Amino acid sequence: MRQNIDADYIHKLNKKFHDQEEAYNYDSRMGATYDYESQQQTIKELESVLGHALPKGGTVVDVASGTGNLAVKLAATNWYKQVIAVDISERSLDVAHQNAHKMQTTIKTITSDMTILPFDDNSVDLVVGCAFLHHLPDPKTFMQEVLRILKPGGEFIIIGEPTTHGGQLIEIIKAPLVWINNLRRYFFNQRQQMRWDHANIDVHDFNQQDAEQLLRGFNTPKIITEGFLSPIVDQGLMTPIRSILSEKSRIKPIFVSINRGLAWCDTTIFNAIIPKFWRVSLKLSGEKP
């Protein structure tokens, strides 16, 4: 993890980037969908990190929820009294409400930079989050906030964080496409838009020591790294291409099939032979004592 971060600067960049770019482009660029199949895939992933079935009942908080990928799918299960999406971007949360409508459910939203989570001590049953810790100025302090708001015995699950070496591999593959896209924007007079390559806001990546520091104070901590070919190809190649395709492009379903094939290769081959922190995706879970 990087040190000596200008927190105010990073918060401003995060808000600007997610309000102006990600709110209306993220789901399409990342291939996110809101249907029963995607919901079941999400639940399966969360449970694999937690090591058992998701707890039911009570209050769930989706931190840095963005467009609501986790919050909406958990709310649609009807397992919980309340599902709350928290994010720095009001526009992203507006889209999260729209996504909830697609799945015929409702969520509560709160705008916060998450320096201090807007919840009482010992008030939340489950905290979930996806691909956000690397955007925060101080992930270690944030995890202490998660510890504070969880009820005793409450659990958290975080998925989709970049490992140090995995993130480097993705950036190498993505670099030529970043250059091509910036050139395209230059010639089509789109220079005022922020770059989609996230160079402005991807603050951290995480090694073994970083992950252990994030989990301090939690019981039953789990550190899982997985994925190699699938996330490298998806984030380094498919994501930039999806960002310039139309919503009805026939290529997107092909990408889904390719990803499934690559994910099978990762599960059956690469997760067994690639060293732990050369894999791409870091996932964490733990329980409050």
Side-chain angles (χ1 to χ4, degrees), residues 88-200:
I88 197 171
S89 168
E90 293 180 7
R91 291 184 180 177
S92 292
L93 292 176
D94 288 342
V95 176
H97 280 295
Q98 296 171 24
N99 288 331
H101 180 72
K102 292 177 186 176
M103 294 198 74
Q104 299 180 332
T105 190
T106 59
I107 58 173
K108 179 180 179 180
T109 56
I110 299 176
T111 305
S112 170
D113 67 9
M114 288 170 297
T115 301
I116 298 176
L117 289 171
F119 302 97
D120 293 335
D121 296 0
N122 307 310
S123 62
V124 174
D125 297 276
L126 175 66
V127 172
V128 297
C130 178
F132 73 96
L133 276 178
H134 60 290
H135 294 319
L136 301 183
D138 189 350
K140 288 189 290 185
T141 299
F142 173 82
M143 290 305 298
Q144 292 306 301
E145 277 292 285
V146 172
L147 188 63
R148 177 184 67 81
I149 69 172
L150 280 172
K151 295 177 181 179
E155 296 172 298
F156 83 88
I157 312 164
I158 294 174
I159 60 176
E161 297 299 334
T163 63
T164 299
H165 296 305
Q168 291 170 349
L169 289 171
I170 288 172
E171 290 304 314
I172 290 171
I173 292 174
K174 194 163 61 176
L177 292 168
V178 171
W179 182 84
I180 292 170
N181 194 59
N182 289 335
L183 192 65
R184 178 185 67 86
R185 289 190 169 193
Y186 179 87
F187 283 110
F188 285 90
N189 295 318
Q190 296 175 321
R191 283 166 281 180
Q192 298 305 312
Q193 296 184 23
M194 296 184 72
R195 297 192 307 168
W196 55 260
D197 65 353
H198 287 217
N200 328 58

Side-chain angles (χ1 to χ4, degrees), residues 225 227-228 266 269-280:
T225 57
F228 188 71
D266 285 341
I269 302 172
F270 289 104
N271 283 342
I273 65 175
I274 299 296
K276 190 171 182 178
F277 274 82
W278 280 91
R279 302 171 202 163
V280 172

Side-chain angles (χ1 to χ4, degrees), residues 3-273:
Q3 305 298 319
N4 302 318
I5 302 297
D6 185 337
D8 288 340
Y9 177 68
I10 294 301
H11 285 315
K12 289 176 182 177
L13 278 180
N14 266 301
K15 179 169 176 53
K16 182 179 180 182
F17 186 81
H18 289 86
D19 275 344
Q20 294 185 6
E21 286 273 324
E22 293 288 72
Y24 304 114
N25 297 320
Y26 182 83
D27 287 345
S28 176
R29 186 169 60 79
M30 299 303 294
T33 56
Y34 295 85
D35 53 31
Y36 179 77
E37 181 181 1
S38 66
Q39 179 199 46
Q40 294 305 300
Q41 290 173 347
T42 297
I43 291 171
K44 181 179 179 180
E45 181 175 9
L46 293 174
E47 291 183 337
S48 72
V49 181
L50 194 57
H52 57 78
L54 287 175
K56 297 177 175 63
T59 298
V60 179
V61 173
D62 180 8
V63 288
S65 179
T67 54
N69 183 46
L70 297 183
V72 169
K73 291 168 184 175
L74 291 179
T77 63
N78 295 315
W79 291 346
Y80 303 102
K81 180 179 179 180
Q82 188 176 47
V83 177
I84 305 172
V86 184
D87 199 84
I88 197 171
S89 168
E90 293 180 7
R91 291 184 180 177
S92 292
L93 292 176
D94 288 342
V95 176
H97 280 295
Q98 296 171 24
N99 288 331
H101 180 72
K102 292 177 186 176
M103 294 198 74
Q104 299 180 332
T105 190
T106 59
I107 58 173
K108 179 180 179 180
T109 56
I110 299 176
T111 305
S112 170
D113 67 9
M114 288 170 297
T115 301
I116 298 176
L117 289 171
F119 302 97
D120 293 335
D121 296 0
N122 307 310
S123 62
V124 174
D125 297 276
L126 175 66
V127 172
V128 297
C130 178
F132 73 96
L133 276 178
H134 60 290
H135 294 319
L136 301 183
D138 189 350
K140 288 189 290 185
T141 299
F142 173 82
M143 290 305 298
Q144 292 306 301
E145 277 292 285
V146 172
L147 188 63
R148 177 184 67 81
I149 69 172
L150 280 172
K151 295 177 181 179
E155 296 172 298
F156 83 88
I157 312 164
I158 294 174
I159 60 176
E161 297 299 334
T163 63
T164 299
H165 296 305
Q168 291 170 349
L169 289 171
I170 288 172
E171 290 304 314
I172 290 171
I173 292 174
K174 194 163 61 176
L177 292 168
V178 171
W179 182 84
I180 292 170
N181 194 59
N182 289 335
L183 192 65
R184 178 185 67 86
R185 289 190 169 193
Y186 179 87
F187 283 110
F188 285 90
N189 295 318
Q190 296 175 321
R191 283 166 281 180
Q192 298 305 312
Q193 296 184 23
M194 296 184 72
R195 297 192 307 168
W196 55 260
D197 65 353
H198 287 217
N200 328 58
I201 59 169
D202 283 355
V203 184
H204 304 284
D205 49 43
F206 304 98
N207 57 31
Q208 177 77 38
Q209 183 180 7
D210 296 331
E212 291 172 354
Q213 291 177 356
L214 294 172
L215 291 170
R216 284 180 180 169
F218 290 95
N219 284 345
T220 61
K222 292 186 178 65
I223 299 173
I224 298 172
T225 57
E226 59 186 26
F228 188 71
L229 277 182
S230 177
I232 286 176
V233 173
D234 184 70
Q235 297 177 44
L237 182 63
M238 295 182 185
T239 295
I241 293 174
R242 277 194 299 257
S243 69
I244 61 175
L245 294 176
S246 69
E247 285 294 322
K248 297 181 180 180
S249 172
R250 296 181 180 179
I251 296 177
K252 289 185 177 181
I254 297 175
F255 282 2
V256 172
S257 298
I258 292 173
N259 257 336
R260 286 174 178 168
L262 295 176
W264 181 88
C265 292
D266 285 341
T267 300
T268 56
I269 302 172
F270 289 104
N271 283 342
I273 65 175

